Amino acid sequence: MNWEQLLSLKRFGDTQKRPRIAQDETRLGFEVDFDRIIFSSAFRSLQDKTQVIPLSETDFVHTRLTHSLEVSVVGRTLGRRVGKVLLERHPELIELGYTFNDFGAIVAAASVTHDIGNPPFGHSGEKAIGEYFKSGKGAKYKDQLSAKEYQDLIDFEGNANGFKILTESREGVFGGLRLSYATLGAFLKYPKESLPKKPTKHIVDKKYGVFQSEKTEFLDVAQELGLLQKSTENISFYRHPLAYLVEAADDICYTIIDFEDGINLGLIEEEFALEYMIKLVKDTIDIKKYHSLQHKKDRVSYLRALAIGVLINEAVAIFLANETQILEGTFEKSLLDKCKYEAQINDIIKISVDKIYKSKEVVEKEVAGYRIIGDLLDVFVTALNNKFDENTSNYDRLVLNLLPEEYQIESNSVYNRIMLVCSYVAGMSDSYAIRMHKKIMGNIV
């Protein structure tokens, strides 16, 4: 892979090149990507989607939206710092007009979208969609689908749904948000289809990032960027290098900030913050300043800021030390999995799993989320398929009045019809899913 091709400003539908040197510096193409995302309805819905605590009644716990913004801030710093060195290594990029801010803008835009495809109720929402088609009423559709189509459903993936949102055309809107291909490439942490599942231990095979419905769009992006093909039998490529920085930004934020949320909520004792995070910040902490802070929130915030700074330094150093392997597709782990603080990070994550993710408040709401998502899928998938079969009941017709027009597209493919409903349900906020569930269950109070 080469950087000039990887930094493509092309957008869906372009018939001419977009040379970097011809860009308007007051509104750079990569920055336009960020703007389009921020103004999109899919991004706005993240303000009411779970990050850690579903439907939290406190006023400071992170939602997917605040988490995504924080990840983009970290991602921008990672991109700029890596870009500064890459320009020194590849001076031909400077002649083409590229600056280190370009790298920051690409990573920031891809980072702010990294959760845009996640269903309501956190990662349990993905599992709930999958369970409906694997062991719930949706299992009856298996014989009507190809193996890969069925795998898309039983292993529903927010990353693939995110790519769908960013690129899917609809009447009058071609190419989704029409982001630059560089940003789309950086977004794709898992540039492969759903099967085969985890064929190797390479990080790109951990999950998948492309539904069968977006294969054409994905292959267009991969070809333009010059991504290295990993398999000739299936759709599988090695990552765009900047996807490693997007992943690192997310890993840094959820590791440290989820831990901070748990402490501020009282789920984790403050002593754990100092005990576990001091190992990350021992070289940068000002103990006198730490003890001068009077409030727990301020002390934890200070540790969090230092820890993020340390991990940013680590991620940048590891990326730059392994640039050649990353470009060749032979770098097989995430950046933080290679850092000297891996053990400390894993300790923090383990505490967060035990004290936060498995807390009674989280588990109770995830259980409710399973039921809500399963019921919503069943009602809308049944109604849409009955409409195609010209076998709608009065109830089906009423239900279809609740389904927005853009999700009632006529299609001969049962897979496409099911994906329309999955997209609709996955796009719901937590609160909207609850309200819609009450309506279809007859609870109008």
Side-chain angles (χ1 to χ4, degrees), residues 414-445:
V414 65
Y415 171 76
N416 288 339
R417 294 196 297 273
I418 290 174
M419 287 302 295
L420 283 168
V421 175
C422 287
S423 296
Y424 174 56
V425 173
M428 293 180 178
S429 66
D430 293 9
S431 297
Y432 184 76
I434 292 170
R435 291 197 301 273
M436 180 61 73
H437 186 258
K438 286 181 178 179
K439 290 177 183 177
I440 66 170
M441 291 292 107
N443 182 358
I444 58 174
V445 178

Side-chain angles (χ1 to χ4, degrees), residues 90 154 197 249 309 334 381:
H90 306 279
I154 64 172
K197 187 173 181 178
S334 70
V381 169

Side-chain angles (χ1 to χ4, degrees), residues 1-11 18-21 23 28-30 33 79 82-83 86-87 90 92-94 96-107 180-186 224-227 240-242 327:
M1 290 182 279
N2 70 84
W3 283 111
E4 181 182 350
Q5 201 169 354
L6 290 165
L7 299 175
S8 173
L9 280 151
K10 180 181 177 180
R11 301 178 187 278
R18 290 178 184 253
R20 171 61 182 86
I21 204 163
Q23 286 281 299
L28 182 63
F30 301 131
D33 291 343
V82 163
L86 291 179
L87 291 176
H90 306 279
E92 69 276 9
L93 295 176
I94 299 175
L96 293 168
Y98 290 101
T99 73
F100 66 83
N101 283 327
D102 294 332
F103 292 86
I106 293 168
V107 179
S180 71
Y181 281 23
T183 293
L184 291 173
E224 168 68 17
L225 296 173
L227 300 185
H240 188 296
L242 297 183
L327 287 169

Side-chain angles (χ1 to χ4, degrees), residues 55-280:
L55 304 165
S56 175
E57 295 178 1
T58 64
D59 63 354
F60 74 91
V61 171
H62 288 80
T63 64
R64 289 283 178 188
L65 185 141
T66 50
H67 168 70
S68 296
L69 290 171
E70 288 166 344
V71 173
S72 75
V73 170
V74 173
R76 184 181 62 216
T77 299
L78 289 169
R80 285 179 175 178
R81 290 183 56 183
V82 163
K84 188 173 185 295
V85 177
L86 291 179
L87 291 176
E88 295 170 359
R89 293 180 180 179
H90 306 279
E92 69 276 9
L93 295 176
I94 299 175
E95 295 176 12
L96 293 168
Y98 290 101
T99 73
F100 66 83
N101 283 327
D102 294 332
F103 292 86
I106 293 168
V107 179
S111 296
V112 86
T113 62
H114 82 281
D115 274 347
I116 205 166
N118 280 34
F121 308 112
H123 287 297
S124 68
E126 292 173 305
K127 293 182 176 68
I129 293 175
E131 286 297 326
Y132 171 76
F133 293 103
K134 186 176 183 179
S135 57
K137 294 180 181 179
K140 64 185 177 184
Y141 299 110
K142 180 178 180 179
D143 294 340
Q144 302 176 55
L145 303 166
S146 71
K148 290 177 180 178
E149 288 173 342
Y150 188 58
Q151 190 66 36
D152 285 356
L153 297 174
I154 64 172
D155 198 16
F156 188 86
E157 178 56 55
N159 289 287
N161 193 49
F163 187 73
K164 183 182 186 71
I165 290 168
L166 298 178
T167 61
E168 186 177 39
S169 298
R170 60 182 188 274
E171 191 173 352
V173 180
F174 179 72
L177 296 185
R178 291 194 73 237
L179 304 182
S180 71
Y181 281 23
T183 293
L184 291 173
F187 169 83
L188 284 159
K189 291 196 293 185
Y190 310 107
K192 68 179 290 289
E193 56 188 349
S194 57
L195 288 177
K197 187 173 181 178
K198 297 182 180 178
T200 73
K201 292 183 178 180
H202 196 296
I203 189 67
V204 299
D205 289 324
K206 181 181 177 182
K207 299 180 181 181
Y208 74 96
V210 183
F211 290 136
Q212 293 301 296
S213 49
E214 281 70 53
K215 287 191 300 185
T216 301
E217 291 84 352
F218 169 72
L219 290 171
D220 183 37
V221 171
Q223 181 179 8
E224 168 68 17
L225 296 173
L227 300 185
L228 291 177
Q229 194 163 355
K230 189 170 183 290
S231 168
T232 55
E233 297 178 12
N234 301 285
I235 294 176
S236 179
F237 289 76
Y238 291 105
R239 278 180 177 174
H240 188 296
L242 297 183
Y244 283 95
L245 298 183
V246 174
E247 178 181 58
D250 185 26
D251 289 349
I252 290 169
C253 287
Y254 85 73
T255 299
I256 303 301
I257 299 175
D258 286 4
F259 193 62
E260 178 187 19
D261 275 356
I263 294 164
N264 286 328
L265 282 168
L267 298 172
I268 300 173
E269 295 180 8
E270 184 184 355
E271 287 71 23
F272 280 112
L274 189 57
E275 178 183 349
Y276 285 91
M277 292 176 75
I278 194 68
K279 297 171 185 177
L280 290 175

